[in-house]
């Protein structure tokens, strides 16, 4: 049976795998795996059973049920072997639960005591473990494996020196360190205990086993042999923190060896060599070193320039074979477009894994160049199905139309862009092949109209299918699917949600249940509380609009269920994890009703929240200070556990203690955040640029940016004042120019200083060569328009500098310089050149825009991100779009998605003519660019269709010109609910829909699986 399911899901990535029958196979597979020793099973059978159970491991109710069990030692070892194999699949929050569960099972089985509270221990008739119990013995360390990194730092002291030393000396320690990362406090604690196993002279001999612990190791006096060992361990560290140490280690190696010998012994050090050193290394040595590099290697711009020169020599546009291209995988991002355009499709398509790895390193302009070359040899129907995800993502809608996709099977196993998904969803709907469960990434293109056209009998199946792939659903789609499902359910019973049963609630996907009307949430009967809490615990609340009234309603209901309708003072610390993401929605008024111990736990749970409502933050920060004391006195443990709650507030973050350990902790927090706050980055900058005086009672600011500081700060160098940058020495600027050049958002004053430094270091702009311009990158913004026009800018480096914060007049000067230096005219620009220009296309004049090749523009526009021109230029680009795609009133969802910010160039009548159905596909960055007078003509239907994310980007100036009806509608778009909701109840007998079939088929499926397993 499992083999049949695997064949059905063939070619689907691990993240996408999973099907309806797999939900039944998972518990049976789990039972088999946890009752048999892994070593006694056939390896193929083990892999099949793991395949069946793994997709369910990330689901909280499934995992939580398994972790409620008390197990004996053999079963504990089997379960932990399973959980180790699932480690990457299990979310970090649940890994903590696994570690705590394993710890309790170990103490109960080996020491006949429990780590759980007294009440629990009394019920189980076991004693509470002594705090001094040395439970973390060799056996426990082996059982925990990578989950060791989710223990509290204090548990490291629960391991005896002898057993911890033995564990470090074993091969198991090194294998664990390969798959895990640890927070700084635990890392330092474990490193300290391990260092006690050896004398200060012996320990350096063992640094090659440290893994991520090496990031916190303060080495003694350096020598070449030791430096090589430690360098090999630093690849997993936050690069900004250990750049200075890497430089020191490399200097130590240089004292005894040539660069060629260094990379022969330690190939990963090639990234730490200067461009000049790379140029001096023989090509054969370089080629061998590149073979040994991993896929995530990163180069500086000048290193890439040197490496490509080394491999290609003077003939930068020569044709290379597919085999030669595969050898250049680690430096693919440095290849000129003219080479990629000559790549033979047949040669590279025969190396799918190599092509995939190369494509991951290429920019959009390079990918488009390669695609243009391939299309010369192969027609879209033959080429498109063979492309890797990155190449596929630059395929335009017109090329996709030529690919002749006529079957859902051609859609299922690919990762599509939003515009491609919109095209394919419409195509499948027209072909009557719109099966939601098979759409996967193409679900992005599903419209509310398609959802509303699903017959009542198929609504539950549609809802389950869409909820199966939440990563591809927008808030608009989730809201539409939820409304359709709830309307269908209410047709069955007018009081459906008042009288809902546990079984009925269990059928509603968590992702859609979040969108239930607040009144319906309040109506849910007490009897469904256990199922409701399970669903909230596993829900991804990010699919719900930030301003949705359902958020407080769901939180209130969850608290009601946890307390059985009593006062919040009855909550326990164990109740809080059951809130799941709703813990992030707790209001200060609710928190104040909790007992002190529970409040302490609540804040620790909330520390992992990605979003806390703006209106609650000030009061919550105040309560955190009342609970844990003044943040300037916090310990390392306290900062790690609740510090993230302060990071959205500038004053509270600034008040965190300036202790030596603080920088490591904040760097760790920054690495966990997808969008670290400005307050956090400024605090790290302040800690990095200050030092303690001899008495360690005061800290002084280092007023001069040094080489080590600049290397460590990386993108945070933007916080130097212009005056401080001006104190930088010429040698420091020369050694760090590429780090400084990466920053796209300098102020005018900073750019004036940096551009002056550039002319002092390299001479006047008229004498600068390509290599210098590449190094300067965004510092070039500081030059005058006349200087920009004379920069030597080959097309291959244009895409890199296009991301800098150019003004409209600068872009015009840059384009004139690019055209002159590359001997280009606007009508010669192909799709690859347009994509490489990206936002610099704004520099073309009105006449030049009219000369652009329309066919090339149609191919390129979907890959040109974030175009931000003056309104006059946007109008000209809009005229080009009309020539390419027809009148705006006829534009479709995929065309609107591809056009991006160009839509802001529409005039008022053209905006008003857009079909409301395309507005969910309008780019978020486009909305603020629309002139307020034009935005004011949008109808209520168009405004409502914007959806919550787009509505949140509407500017104050745009709002000020809207009438009351428009403002009310904009609020509806923001929240997902109308101010006054009326429930339309339609009568009619329920049909046997997907949910009915589910109830009918479950017993048969279970019987069949049971029979097959006999």
């Amino acid at each position: 049976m499992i083999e049949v399911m695997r064949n059905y899901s063939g070619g689907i990535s691990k993240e996408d795998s999973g099907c309806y029958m797999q939900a039944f196979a998972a518990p049976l597979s789990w039972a088999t795996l946890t009752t048999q020793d892994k070593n006694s099973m056939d390896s193929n059978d083990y892999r099949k059973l793991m395949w069946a159970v793994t997709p369910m491991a990330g689901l909280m109710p499934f995992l939580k049920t398994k972790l409620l069990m008390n197990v004996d030692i053999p079963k504990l070892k089997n379960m932990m072997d399973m959980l180790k194999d699932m480690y990457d699949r299990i979310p970090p929050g649940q890994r903590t639960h696994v570690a705590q569960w394993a710890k309790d099972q170990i103490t109960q089985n080996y020491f006949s005591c429990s780590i759980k509270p007294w009440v629990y221990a009394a019920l189980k008739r076991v004693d509470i473990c002594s705090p001094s119990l040395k439970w973390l013995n060799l056996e426990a360390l082996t059982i925990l494996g990578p989950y060791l990194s989710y223990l509290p730092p204090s548990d490291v002291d629960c391991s005896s020196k002898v057993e911890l030393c033995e564990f470090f000396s074993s091969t198991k320690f090194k294998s664990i360190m390969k798959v895990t990362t640890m927070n700084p406090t635990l890392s330092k604690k474990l490193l300290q205990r391990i260092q006690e196993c050896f004398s200060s002279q012996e320990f350096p001999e063992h640094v090659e086993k440290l893994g991520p612990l090496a990031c916190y190791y303060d080495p003694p006096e350096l020598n070449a042999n030791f430096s090589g060992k430690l360098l090999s361990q630093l690849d997993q560290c936050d690069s900004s923190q250990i750049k200075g140490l890497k430089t020191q280690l490399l200097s130590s190696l240089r004292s005894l060896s040539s660069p060629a010998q260094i990379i022969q012994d330690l190939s990963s050090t090639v990234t730490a060599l200067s461009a000049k050193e790379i140029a001096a290394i023989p090509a054969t040595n370089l080629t061998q070193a590149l073979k040994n590099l991993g896929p995530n290697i990163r180069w500086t711009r000048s290193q890439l320039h040197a490496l490509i020169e080394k491999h290609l020599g003077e003939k930068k546009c020569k044709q290379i074979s597919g085999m030669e291209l595969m050898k250049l995988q680690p430096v693919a991002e440095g290849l000129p477009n003219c080479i990629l355009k000559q790549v033979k499709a047949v040669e590279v398509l025969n190396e799918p894994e190599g092509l995939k790895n190369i494509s991951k390193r290429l920019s959009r302009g390079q990918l488009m160049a390669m695609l243009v070359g391939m299309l010369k040899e192969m027609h879209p129907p033959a080429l498109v199905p063979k492309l890797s995800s990155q190449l596929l993502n630059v395929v335009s809608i017109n090329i996709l139309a030529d690919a002749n996709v006529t079957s859902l099977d051609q859609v299922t196993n690919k990762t599509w862009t939003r515009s491609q998904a919109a095209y394919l969803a419409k195509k499948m709907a027209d072909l009557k092949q719109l099966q939601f469960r098979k759409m996967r990434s193409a679900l992005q293109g599903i419209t509310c109209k398609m959802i509303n056209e699903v017959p009542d009998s198929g609504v539950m199946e549609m809802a389950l299918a869409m909820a199966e792939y939440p990563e591809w659903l927008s808030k608009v789609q989730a809201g539409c699917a939820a409304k359709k499902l709830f309307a269908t359910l209410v047709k069955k019973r007018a009081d459906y949600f008042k009288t809902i049963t546990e079984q009925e609630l269990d059928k509603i996907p968590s992702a859609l249940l979040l969108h239930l009307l607040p009144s319906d949430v309040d109506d849910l009967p007490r009897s469904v509380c256990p199922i409701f809490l399970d669903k909230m615990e596993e829900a991804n609340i990010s699919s719900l609009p930030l301003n949705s009234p359902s958020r407080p309603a769901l939180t209130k209901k969850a608290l009601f269920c946890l307390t059985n309708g009593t006062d919040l003072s009855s909550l326990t610390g164990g109740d809080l994890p059951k809130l799941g993401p709703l813990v992030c929605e707790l209001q200060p008024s609710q928190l104040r009703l909790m007992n002190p111990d529970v409040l302490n736990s609540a804040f620790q749970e909330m520390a992992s929240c990605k979003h806390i409502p703006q209106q609650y933050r000030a009061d919550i920060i105040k309560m955190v200070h009342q609970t844990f004391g003044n943040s300037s006195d916090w310990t390392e443990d306290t900062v790690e556990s609740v510090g993230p709650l302060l990071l959205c507030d500038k004053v509270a973050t600034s008040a965190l203690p300036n202790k030596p350990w603080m920088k490591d902790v904040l760097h760790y927090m920054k690495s966990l955040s997808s969008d670290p706050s400005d307050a956090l980055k400024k605090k790290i900058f302040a800690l990095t640029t200050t030092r303690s005086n001899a008495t360690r009672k005061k800290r002084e600011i280092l007023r001069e940016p040094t080489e080590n500081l600049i290397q460590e700060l990386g993108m945070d160098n933007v916080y130097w004042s212009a005056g401080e940058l001006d104190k930088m020495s010429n040698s420091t600027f020369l050694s760090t120019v590429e780090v400084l050049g990466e920053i796209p958002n300098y102020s005018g004053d900073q750019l004036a200083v940096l551009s002056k430094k550039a002319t002092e270091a390299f001479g006047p702009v008229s004498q600068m060569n390509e290599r210098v311009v590449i190094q300067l990158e965004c510092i070039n913004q500081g030059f005058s328009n006349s200087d920009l026009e004379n920069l030597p800018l080959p097309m291959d480096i244009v895409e890199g500098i296009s991301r800098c914060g150019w003004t409209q007049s600068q872009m015009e000067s840059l384009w004139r310089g690019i055209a002159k230096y590359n001997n280009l005219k606007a009508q010669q620009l192909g799709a690859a050149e347009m994509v490489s220009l990206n936002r610099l296309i704004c520099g073309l004049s009105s006449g030049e825009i009219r000369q652009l090749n329309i066919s090339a523009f149609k191919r390129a526009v979907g890959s040109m991100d974030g175009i931000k021109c003056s309104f006059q230029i946007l109008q000209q680009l809009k005229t080009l779009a009309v020539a390419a795609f027809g009148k705006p009133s006829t534009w479709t969802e995929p065309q609107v998605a591809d056009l991006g910010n160009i839509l802001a160039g529409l005039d008022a009548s053209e905006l008003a003519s857009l079909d409301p159905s395309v507005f969910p596909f309008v780019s978020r960055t486009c909305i603020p660019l629309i002139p307020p007078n034009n935005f004011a003509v949008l109808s209520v239907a168009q405004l409502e269709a914007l959806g919550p994310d787009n509505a949140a980007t509407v500017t104050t100036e745009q709002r000020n010109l809207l009438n009351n009806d428009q403002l009310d509608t904009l609020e509806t778009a923001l929240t997902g609910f109308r101010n006054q909701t009326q429930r339309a109840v339609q009568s009619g007998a329920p049909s046997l829909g997907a949910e009915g079939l589910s109830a009918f088929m479950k017993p048969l499926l279970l019987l069949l699986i049971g029979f097959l397993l006999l």
Side-chain angles (χ1 to χ4, degrees):
M1 177 60 71
I2 293 173
E3 190 64 36
V4 170
M5 289 189 289
R6 290 184 76 188
N7 291 338
Y8 168 78
S9 301
I12 303 171
S13 69
K14 180 175 73 173
E15 289 75 15
D16 290 337
S17 63
C19 66
Y20 185 69
M21 291 184 67
Q22 210 166 343
F24 296 102
L28 295 170
S29 299
W30 178 282
T32 305
L33 287 161
T34 54
T35 52
Q36 294 188 34
D37 188 340
K38 175 180 175 179
N39 296 324
S40 68
M41 295 177 65
D42 178 81
S43 59
N44 287 329
D45 288 345
Y46 180 80
R47 282 196 295 270
K48 290 175 187 176
L49 290 165
M50 277 294 295
W51 177 88
V53 79
T54 297
M56 303 301 294
L59 300 179
M60 179 58 98
F62 179 81
L63 188 60
K64 184 177 69 173
T65 301
K66 305 308 168 190
L67 299 185
L68 287 175
M69 301 165 60
N70 283 318
V71 295
D72 57 22
I73 292 171
K75 193 164 187 178
L76 171 63
K77 290 181 177 179
N78 285 343
M79 285 184 69
M80 288 305 294
D81 281 344
M82 279 274 299
L83 291 165
K84 289 172 196 173
D85 289 337
M86 294 177 182
Y87 181 84
D88 291 335
R89 181 79 181 180
I90 296 174
Q94 293 182 41
R95 292 176 194 164
T96 302
H97 291 297
V98 173
Q100 290 302 311
W101 173 81
K103 177 181 174 181
D104 190 46
Q105 298 304 308
I106 290 166
T107 55
Q108 286 190 53
N109 278 288
Y110 288 92
F111 303 98
S112 301
C113 65
S114 175
I115 60 169
K116 295 290 178 74
W118 283 105
V119 174
Y120 173 89
L123 288 172
K124 296 292 180 180
R125 296 182 180 178
V126 292
D127 294 328
I128 284 288
C129 298
S130 165
S132 60
L133 177 70
K134 299 293 184 184
W135 70 270
L136 195 58
N137 55 24
L138 184 61
E139 184 87 340
L141 288 163
T142 304
I143 290 171
L144 282 164
Y147 294 97
L148 173 67
S149 59
Y150 287 87
L151 290 176
S154 57
D155 277 343
V156 177
D157 288 329
C158 296
S159 184
S160 71
K161 179 179 178 179
V162 172
E163 303 217 41
L164 186 59
C165 294
E166 186 178 346
F167 182 60
F168 177 73
S169 300
S170 71
T171 56
K172 293 170 185 173
F173 181 85
K174 193 168 184 177
S175 65
I176 287 172
M177 290 299 105
K178 285 180 180 178
V179 298
T180 187
T181 57
M182 295 185 187
N183 66 46
T185 309
L186 179 60
S187 298
K188 292 174 186 177
K189 186 78 172 177
L190 189 55
L191 177 61
Q192 176 196 335
R193 291 292 313 279
I194 290 170
Q195 285 182 273
E196 293 170 1
C197 300
F198 307 94
S199 69
S200 57
Q201 290 77 31
E202 292 174 327
F203 185 70
E205 296 300 315
H206 301 276
V207 294
E208 58 193 344
K209 293 184 64 177
L210 288 177
L213 300 185
C215 307
Y216 302 99
Y217 177 50
D218 188 12
E221 187 175 341
L222 303 178
N223 61 63
N225 181 47
F226 168 76
S227 296
K229 290 179 179 179
L230 184 55
L231 260 174
S232 68
Q233 298 298 298
L234 297 181
D235 290 337
Q236 299 179 57
C237 305
D238 182 332
S239 59
S240 64
Q241 288 180 265
I242 46 86
K243 276 185 178 177
L245 176 57
K246 274 191 168 182
T247 301
Q248 293 177 46
L249 294 171
L250 195 60
S251 296
S252 175
L253 286 174
R254 283 191 185 102
S255 65
L256 293 178
S257 305
S258 66
Q261 185 63 43
I262 291 171
I263 66 166
Q264 183 176 324
D265 298 337
L266 199 63
S267 57
S268 64
T269 58
V270 70
T271 59
L273 299 175
S274 69
K276 187 176 180 181
E277 287 174 316
I278 288 173
I281 297 173
T284 51
N285 296 61
L286 267 181
T287 302
Q288 188 59 41
L290 292 181
K291 281 183 184 177
N292 301 326
L293 297 178
N296 300 319
I297 202 77
R298 290 191 63 192
W299 307 99
T300 66
R301 297 181 294 283
S302 58
Q303 283 175 329
L304 267 178
H305 194 272
L307 285 162
I308 294 300
E309 257 191 5
K310 195 78 179 176
H311 281 89
L312 302 180
E314 295 299 316
K315 297 180 180 178
K316 289 187 179 179
C317 284
K318 68 179 182 181
Q319 185 171 333
I320 60 175
S321 68
M323 186 177 296
E324 288 176 294
L325 181 65
M326 294 302 139
K327 290 179 182 177
L328 293 173
Q329 282 182 46
V331 294
E333 63 266 46
L335 290 171
N337 285 359
C338 54
I339 280 185
L340 295 170
K341 284 182 180 179
Q342 299 178 70
V343 167
K344 299 291 183 184
V346 175
E347 292 180 359
V348 293
L349 291 173
N350 286 334
E351 297 279 352
E353 194 59 33
L355 179 59
K356 178 182 173 183
N357 291 334
I358 286 175
S359 299
K360 285 179 179 179
R361 302 189 70 90
L362 299 181
S363 68
R364 281 179 174 257
Q366 290 174 307
L367 289 167
M368 183 61 77
M370 185 180 282
L371 180 65
V372 166
M374 288 179 164
L375 284 167
K376 290 177 183 175
E377 287 187 64
M378 294 179 72
H379 295 301
L383 178 63
V384 170
K386 297 180 179 180
L387 295 177
S388 62
S389 293
Q390 285 73 26
L391 273 167
L392 187 65
N393 288 168
V394 296
V395 170
S396 63
I397 299 305
N398 59 314
I399 294 176
L400 187 58
D402 292 340
N404 196 29
V405 176
T406 57
S407 164
L408 191 56
D409 291 335
Q410 295 171 275
V411 173
T412 298
N413 300 332
K414 301 283 188 181
T415 301
W416 305 100
T417 66
R418 200 172 182 211
S419 60
Q420 291 170 338
Y423 169 80
L424 292 168
K426 177 70 163 56
K427 184 80 179 280
M428 293 301 104
D430 291 344
L431 293 171
K432 309 297 182 189
Q433 293 189 41
L434 193 59
Q435 297 179 43
F436 290 88
R437 194 175 293 278
K438 288 188 176 183
M439 295 291 285
R440 293 192 171 87
S441 71
L443 280 173
Q444 298 171 89
I446 296 294
T447 64
C448 288
K449 182 182 177 184
M450 294 175 189
I451 291 170
N452 290 330
E453 288 175 351
V454 174
D456 288 356
S457 60
V459 168
M460 181 60 80
E461 172 62 20
M462 175 272 293
L464 290 168
M466 292 187 75
E468 198 170 312
Y469 303 100
E471 66 272 28
W472 300 117
L473 289 189
S474 69
K475 294 182 178 74
V476 171
Q477 291 171 313
C480 288
K483 286 173 186 174
K484 177 69 175 179
L485 173 62
F486 300 154
T488 305
L489 296 176
V490 170
K491 287 180 186 179
K492 295 183 175 186
R493 291 194 309 272
D495 60 350
Y496 190 88
F497 292 105
K498 275 188 178 180
T499 60
I500 193 170
T501 65
E502 286 185 300
Q503 292 78 12
E504 288 171 333
L505 184 64
D506 198 25
K507 290 176 187 174
I508 299 175
S510 301
L512 304 191
L513 184 62
L514 292 171
H515 294 260
L516 197 60
L517 286 171
S519 57
D520 288 332
V521 174
D522 291 341
D523 285 345
L524 293 175
R526 185 178 296 195
S527 58
V528 301
C529 273
I531 299 297
F532 176 78
L533 289 172
D534 278 348
K535 288 192 165 290
M536 291 303 100
E537 195 170 358
E538 73 173 357
N540 181 357
I541 203 168
S542 65
S543 69
L544 196 59
L546 294 177
N547 296 311
S548 171
S550 293
R551 285 179 177 252
L554 291 164
T555 308
K556 180 182 175 184
K557 190 69 179 183
L559 291 172
F560 174 88
C561 288
L562 286 171
T563 60
N564 293 314
T566 62
D567 191 85
L568 290 183
S569 61
S570 63
L571 275 178
T572 68
D575 290 328
L576 292 170
K578 298 174 186 175
L579 285 171
L582 293 179
V583 75
C584 306
E585 300 295 315
L586 288 172
Q587 301 175 21
S589 59
Q590 294 165 331
L591 290 165
R592 289 190 187 100
L593 298 174
M594 297 179 186
N595 287 327
D597 289 348
V598 178
L599 183 62
N600 187 315
S601 299
F603 287 138
Q604 292 184 49
E605 291 281 341
M606 294 174 75
S608 60
C609 294
K610 293 181 179 179
H611 172 81
I612 290 176
Q614 178 72 41
Q615 65 270 29
Y616 304 157
R617 291 177 190 173
D619 284 344
I620 286 175
I621 288 173
K622 185 177 179 181
M623 293 177 69
V624 168
H625 283 133
Q626 290 169 349
T627 305
F628 296 95
N630 193 314
S631 58
S632 61
D633 299 323
W634 284 1
T635 64
E636 192 170 359
D637 285 343
T638 306
V639 174
E640 277 190 1
S641 62
V642 295
L645 287 172
L646 307 186
L647 299 182
C648 58
D649 183 87
K650 181 179 178 181
V651 175
T653 303
S654 179
L656 288 170
N658 295 324
K659 298 290 178 65
W661 47 262
M662 179 58 73
K663 192 166 63 171
D664 286 336
V665 173
L666 293 185
H667 266 295
Y668 178 71
M669 290 180 185
K670 184 180 177 184
S671 71
L672 298 178
S673 173
S674 58
D675 184 24
S677 68
D678 202 46
L680 170 59
K681 290 186 282 188
K682 284 183 177 178
K683 180 66 177 181
I684 292 174
F685 176 82
L687 288 166
T688 305
T689 55
T690 60
R691 65 185 172 196
S692 300
N693 67 9
T695 63
R696 292 189 175 270
K697 291 181 180 178
K698 294 182 179 179
R699 296 179 70 83
E700 56 181 339
I701 298 176
L702 298 175
R703 295 297 180 186
E704 180 183 327
T706 63
E707 180 179 348
N708 285 343
L709 278 177
I710 291 171
Q711 294 283 4
E712 182 177 343
L713 285 167
M715 298 301 284
D716 290 344
N717 279 294
V718 74
Y719 297 114
W720 292 109
S721 70
E724 289 165 342
L725 288 171
D726 200 26
K727 293 179 180 178
M728 183 180 9
S729 69
N730 188 56
S731 60
T732 297
F733 179 80
L734 281 168
S735 59
T736 61
V737 61
E738 291 196 58
V739 178
L740 296 169
E742 287 183 352
I743 297 169
N745 56 333
Y746 285 120
S747 69
D749 289 342
Q750 290 171 314
L751 285 170
V753 170
L754 290 170
S755 58
K756 183 187 76 171
K757 293 283 181 188
T759 55
E760 290 172 355
F762 300 112
V765 175
S766 59
Q767 295 178 15
M768 291 180 182
N769 56 30
E770 289 181 14
R771 189 189 298 271
V772 171
V773 174
I774 290 170
Q775 288 179 290
L776 291 174
E777 198 162 0
C778 292
I779 294 174
N780 289 303
Q781 292 174 92
F783 298 136
S784 68
N785 285 353
S786 58
D787 280 338
L788 291 176
E789 202 167 324
N790 291 310
L791 284 178
L793 277 170
M795 279 301 299
D796 294 315
I797 71 170
V798 166
E799 191 170 3
I801 70 163
S802 71
R803 66 182 184 84
C804 305
W806 304 103
T807 65
Q808 179 62 43
S809 64
Q810 285 179 320
M811 289 190 283
E812 292 167 5
S813 296
L814 278 169
W815 161 245
R816 287 193 290 271
I818 292 165
K820 182 168 59 177
Y821 190 74
N822 294 276
N823 196 24
L824 266 178
K825 295 186 184 298
Q827 57 265 40
Q828 296 174 305
L829 294 176
E833 288 74 31
M834 290 186 195
V835 175
S836 292
L837 279 173
N838 202 18
R839 67 178 60 180
L840 294 184
I841 204 166
C842 300
L844 275 67
S845 67
S846 300
E848 288 173 320
I849 290 173
R850 286 195 294 271
Q851 294 171 22
L852 290 174
N853 183 291
I854 290 177
S855 176
F857 176 76
K858 290 172 74 172
R859 286 189 177 190
V861 68
S863 298
M864 296 162 66
D865 288 338
I867 291 175
K868 200 170 182 180
C869 316
S870 68
F871 181 65
Q872 290 71 26
I873 296 299
L874 284 174
Q875 285 180 305
Q876 295 302 319
L877 290 171
K878 175 264 299 185
T879 302
L880 184 66
V882 170
F885 300 113
K887 293 181 179 179
S889 59
T890 66
W891 286 354
T892 60
E893 291 87 353
Q895 289 168 344
V896 165
D898 269 350
L899 286 169
N901 291 349
I902 293 175
L903 258 74
L906 296 176
D907 62 33
S909 62
E910 289 168 330
L911 270 175
S913 73
L914 290 173
D915 192 297
S917 65
V918 305
F919 275 77
F921 292 85
V922 173
S923 166
R924 263 180 273 182
T925 56
C926 172
I927 302 297
L929 301 178
I930 300 173
N933 285 324
N934 292 351
F935 189 81
V937 305
L938 295 181
S939 68
V940 292
Q942 289 172 318
L943 287 169
E944 185 172 353
L946 281 173
D949 291 334
N950 278 343
T953 65
V954 174
T955 67
T956 303
E957 291 78 10
Q958 290 169 333
R959 279 176 170 272
N960 288 341
L961 295 184
L962 300 182
N963 61 36
N964 288 338
D965 286 344
Q966 288 174 310
L967 288 171
D968 287 344
T969 304
L970 192 61
E971 190 64 23
T972 298
L974 270 170
T975 63
F977 291 104
R978 289 188 173 88
N979 290 334
Q980 294 189 357
T981 306
Q982 295 180 341
R983 188 186 299 169
V985 182
Q986 298 179 23
S987 61
S991 60
L992 184 63
E995 64 274 25
L997 286 170
S998 168
F1000 177 72
M1001 290 296 293
K1002 275 185 181 179
L1004 290 179
L1005 284 167
L1006 286 171
L1007 181 63
L1008 175 61
I1009 293 171
F1011 175 75
L1012 290 170
L1013 291 173
L1014 287 177

